[in-house]
């Protein structure tokens, strides 16, 4: 049985409420933290990158795949992203966030750039249509998967996301995993722009608040 | 702009879903709220982690990692000691 992830809860409540819990997976005792590995990479230690890769390649690849839907492209991007991480490590600052957040931001940007380049060579509308029809609400769809294979952290985060109405999930999914603007989402879903904005704002707030509530369970 | 409205926009901002017109107002409010705004934006970036962690991890081949580590070591060797890695 998987162990419940131990989530460090940092930060004090301020006027915007308690901070979001850090949602990184649990690290075994004695293993270096993500921050220690980033410091190692900044000192050009390949072993630190190797460990960080082992820890997060699955998550980063899942994110890339969710954007590009192609195994070979995802592998290429995964390699590029970790290479970029190595090259750009000096720009990482712990004050600006956690290493996982930095990696995810980097990966998402690269994957969306890759998708856009590809779309320049394809009939973008048709491709997007096909892909969103295949997986219109990936989070909703994933909720029916065997949760036995999912870590506790993932189950809890999914629970928060799945508590959103499907239309809000879809709007966030298109914005986050497709890099679509509010206008593009409105056009894609035949929804008024104002409604898209409201869906995004409400959905993101609910997820944000839901993650804060997870503090008690994680 | 109230701080509450700023918070709503910050959550859109971190996922890149803030429209151009709203971006200008957002940046103005961001400057006005100062450190409090920066702290909240940093906080919002945890949404990225959460979205990534909501996905089932995908498998990668061992060959991919070998290739990556080979590139990293080659890159390291090609740099004279003390040289900063290049930004992309």
């Amino acid at each position: 049985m998987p162990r419940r992830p131990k989530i460090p809860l940092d930060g004090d409540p301020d006027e915007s409420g308690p901070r979001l819990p850090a949602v990184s997976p649990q690290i075994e005792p004695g293993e270096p933290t993500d921050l220690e590995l980033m410091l190692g990479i900044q000192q050009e230690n390949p072993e630190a990158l190797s460990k960080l890769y082992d820890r997060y390649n699955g998550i980063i690849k899942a994110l890339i795949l969710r954007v590009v839907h192609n195994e070979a492209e995802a592998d290429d991007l995964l390699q590029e992203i970790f290479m970029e991480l190595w090259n750009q490590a000096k720009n990482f600052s712990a004050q600006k966030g956690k290493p996982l957040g930095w990696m995810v931001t980097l990966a998402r940007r690269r994957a969306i750039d890759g998708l856009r380049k590809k779309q320049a060579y394809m009939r973008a509308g048709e491709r997007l249509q096909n892909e969103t029809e295949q997986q219109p609400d990936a989070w909703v769809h994933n909720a029916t998967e065997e949760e036995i294979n999912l870590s506790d952290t993932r189950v809890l985060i999914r629970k928060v996301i799945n508590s959103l109405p499907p239309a809000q999930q879809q709007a966030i999914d298109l914005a986050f995993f497709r890099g679509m603007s509010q206008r593009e989402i409105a056009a894609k879903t035949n929804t008024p722009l104002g409604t898209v904005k409201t869906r995004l704002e409400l959905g993101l707030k609910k997820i944000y608040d839901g993650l804060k509530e997870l503090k008690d369970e994680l | 702009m109230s701080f509450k409205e700023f918070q709503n926009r910050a959550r859109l901002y971190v996922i890149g879903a803030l429209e151009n017109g709203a971006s200008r107002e957002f940046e103005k409010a961001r400057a006005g709220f100062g450190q409090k705004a920066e702290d909240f934006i940093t906080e919002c970036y945890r949404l990225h982690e959460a979205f990534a962690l909501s996905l089932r991890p995908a498998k990668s081949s061992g060959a991919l990692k070998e290739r990556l580590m080979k590139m990293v070591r080659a890159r390291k060797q090609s740099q004279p000691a003390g040289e900063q890695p290049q930004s992309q």
Side-chain angles (χ1 to χ4, degrees):
Chain A
M1 189 170 164
R3 280 205 286 170
R4 171 155 290 201
K6 201 175 187 176
I7 306 296
L9 303 173
D10 52 354
D12 294 314
D14 56 17
E15 62 182 283
S16 61
R19 288 180 148 201
L20 289 187
V23 286
S24 307
Q26 186 185 29
I27 295 163
E28 292 299 319
E31 284 292 305
T33 63
D34 292 352
L35 186 58
E36 285 165 346
L37 291 178
M38 276 309 297
L39 294 175
I41 296 169
Q42 286 180 333
Q43 288 157 18
E44 301 181 12
N45 176 1
E47 204 42 49
L49 184 79
S50 171
K51 277 190 192 291
L52 203 67
Y53 179 93
D54 290 342
R55 196 171 286 170
Y56 291 118
N57 78 85
I59 289 169
I60 301 296
K61 184 169 172 185
L63 172 68
I64 302 166
L65 264 176
R66 185 69 196 87
V67 177
V68 302
H69 294 280
N70 180 295
E71 188 77 24
E73 285 171 30
D75 279 344
D76 287 348
L77 280 166
L78 183 68
Q79 185 177 297
E80 280 178 29
I81 287 159
F82 274 90
M83 202 60 218
E84 190 173 347
L85 201 144
W86 174 262
N87 290 332
Q88 301 262 19
K90 292 268 190 284
N91 297 330
F92 171 77
S93 159
Q95 276 81 46
K96 296 270 181 186
K98 306 267 188 236
L100 177 61
W102 192 61
M103 284 191 282
V104 169
T105 303
L106 193 70
R108 175 179 175 262
R109 197 187 66 218
R110 274 294 193 124
I112 290 172
D113 283 352
L115 180 70
R116 285 186 179 144
K117 270 184 208 160
K118 199 170 159 188
Q119 283 173 338
Y121 294 98
M122 296 178 74
R123 292 167 63 195
E126 188 181 304
R127 175 187 161 79
L128 211 54
Q129 180 80 27
N130 291 340
E131 286 179 357
T132 42
E133 272 170 11
Q134 280 163 18
Q135 295 200 340
D137 303 300
W139 282 330
V140 180
H141 173 74
N142 286 341
T144 62
E145 290 173 354
E146 286 180 59
E147 295 202 329
I148 197 163
N149 292 327
L150 303 177
S151 73
D152 287 4
T153 308
R154 192 166 313 109
V155 171
L156 290 170
I157 294 171
R158 281 274 178 77
K159 216 162 95 180
V160 173
I161 291 169
N162 290 330
S163 70
L164 265 56
Q168 289 178 14
Q169 288 186 43
Q170 189 192 35
I172 295 171
D173 188 77
L174 291 172
F176 187 75
F177 292 110
R178 292 278 155 186
M180 290 173 84
S181 68
Q182 291 179 26
R183 280 174 205 284
E184 286 170 325
I185 296 169
K188 173 75 204 146
T189 58
N190 278 326
T191 309
L193 183 60
T195 306
V196 170
K197 183 175 182 261
T198 305
R199 285 177 182 169
L200 284 169
E201 283 188 358
L202 287 177
L204 288 169
K205 184 169 188 321
K206 280 184 206 162
I207 294 174
Y208 184 90
D209 291 344
L211 290 173
K212 279 201 283 194
E213 282 170 22
L214 282 185
K215 267 175 60 163
D216 298 330
E217 296 187 55
L218 293 172
Chain B
M1 187 188 296
S2 68
F3 193 63
K4 196 178 168 191
E5 176 59 18
F6 173 81
Q7 287 175 314
N8 280 336
R9 295 200 186 181
R11 284 185 280 262
L12 292 173
Y13 169 79
V14 296
I15 67 160
L18 201 57
E19 293 292 293
N20 285 341
S23 291
R24 282 187 289 276
E25 280 178 47
F26 174 77
E27 290 300 342
K28 203 174 151 188
R30 180 180 182 169
F33 288 119
Q35 193 53 45
K36 189 167 128 182
E38 296 308 316
D39 290 346
F40 188 76
I41 289 170
T42 299
E43 199 62 18
C44 287
Y45 272 106
R46 292 212 180 144
L47 286 169
H48 281 209
E49 293 171 46
F51 290 149
L53 288 169
S54 73
L55 303 172
R56 181 201 293 270
K59 286 184 181 149
S60 304
S61 71
L64 185 73
K65 187 185 171 190
E66 274 177 40
R67 221 168 37 235
L68 171 74
M69 295 313 296
K70 211 171 155 183
M71 285 165 65
V72 165
R73 291 195 175 96
R75 170 104 188 153
K76 190 183 173 185
Q77 280 172 1
S78 70
Q79 284 181 324
E83 189 186 316
Q84 300 280 316
Q86 261 181 1
S87 284
Q88 286 182 347

